[in-house]
Amino acid sequence: MKSILAAAIALLVVSLVIFVRLGLDTHSRLIPVAERKPMPVVHLSLLTGETWSLRVHRGEVIAINYWATWCGPCWQETPMLVQLGHDYGKRGFAIVGVATDERNSAEIPPAVLRFVERLHVDYPIAITAPMSQLAYAMDGLPTTILVDREGRVAQTYVGALNETKFRGDVDALLREPAQPSR
């Protein structure tokens, strides 16, 4: 009897963890405005050779999506992000992707170019510097940081995004009133 009870409790705990990790909770968990911290200065080297800067995008809601070509959930969520960019772009929402694939030289890994081409990614894509340790500092990939119009971190998502929840969070940020200039 004890082993059945222990198995039932273990199953319940595993189910709860899976439920939370899959993001099935559709209630917004944006960080309250007063508790948001400014995003550090972000300058990213794009595949095009240009530089992407968060400062230039002040006034927009920004999703910074860290991914890798070897990451299955990254392949699954990227088409949704492309569509989200189309749906919300005219409302002041922008996405930048950051490929975290390892590389030892200045050359862009062909797998990154194939990923972008196959998934028809039309938002800016940056790539980490050769020998970067960035991917190792993350709790998991994909990781998406949602930044409000004032350049503050409104939420960080580790793992594949739940489209309904993420759209709700983007909608909420786009509805937030603009803050007066400082």
Side-chain angles (χ1 to χ4, degrees):
M1 186 65 171
K2 286 184 181 181
S3 63
I4 293 173
L5 182 59
I9 290 172
L11 182 61
L12 179 64
V13 169
V14 168
S15 298
L16 182 60
V17 168
I18 290 171
F19 182 80
V20 170
R21 287 296 288 169
L22 290 177
L24 298 176
D25 177 8
T26 58
H27 294 90
S28 177
R29 292 191 184 164
L30 290 175
I31 298 169
V33 174
E35 296 175 23
R36 293 180 192 163
K37 305 279 189 256
M39 182 74 181
V41 174
V42 176
H43 297 287
L44 302 168
S45 298
L46 299 178
L47 297 180
T48 61
E50 300 169 310
T51 300
W52 186 95
S53 173
L54 182 63
R55 182 178 42 87
V56 172
H57 293 275
R58 181 62 68 92
E60 294 178 300
V61 173
I62 304 294
I64 304 172
N65 177 251
Y66 295 89
W67 58 274
T69 60
W70 49 261
C71 164
C74 299
W75 283 86
Q76 294 170 354
E77 81 174 5
T78 299
M80 181 268 297
L81 288 171
V82 169
Q83 185 60 51
L84 208 73
H86 296 170
D87 295 348
Y88 290 104
K90 292 183 177 162
R91 291 181 53 199
F93 175 70
I95 303 167
V96 62
V98 182
T100 61
D101 289 60
E102 289 184 31
R103 62 188 184 133
N104 297 323
S105 70
E107 291 182 31
I108 298 168
V112 171
L113 297 173
R114 281 192 303 274
F115 181 98
V116 171
E117 182 179 309
R118 284 186 187 159
L119 296 179
H120 308 288
V121 179
D122 56 0
Y123 50 80
I125 296 293
I127 190 158
T128 55
M131 306 300 287
S132 174
Q133 300 294 312
L134 178 65
Y136 298 109
M138 302 211 171
D139 287 335
L141 289 176
T143 293
T144 303
I145 301 172
L146 192 57
V147 181
D148 70 13
R149 293 180 189 272
E150 301 301 314
R152 300 170 299 208
V153 176
Q155 189 54 271
T156 300
Y157 310 85
V158 178
L161 294 168
N162 173 285
E163 183 174 359
T164 303
K165 180 188 178 325
F166 192 68
R167 280 182 179 271
D169 289 348
V170 170
D171 276 327
L173 288 176
L174 289 170
R175 285 191 308 268
E176 285 183 357
Q179 301 295 312
S181 298
R182 296 178 194 137

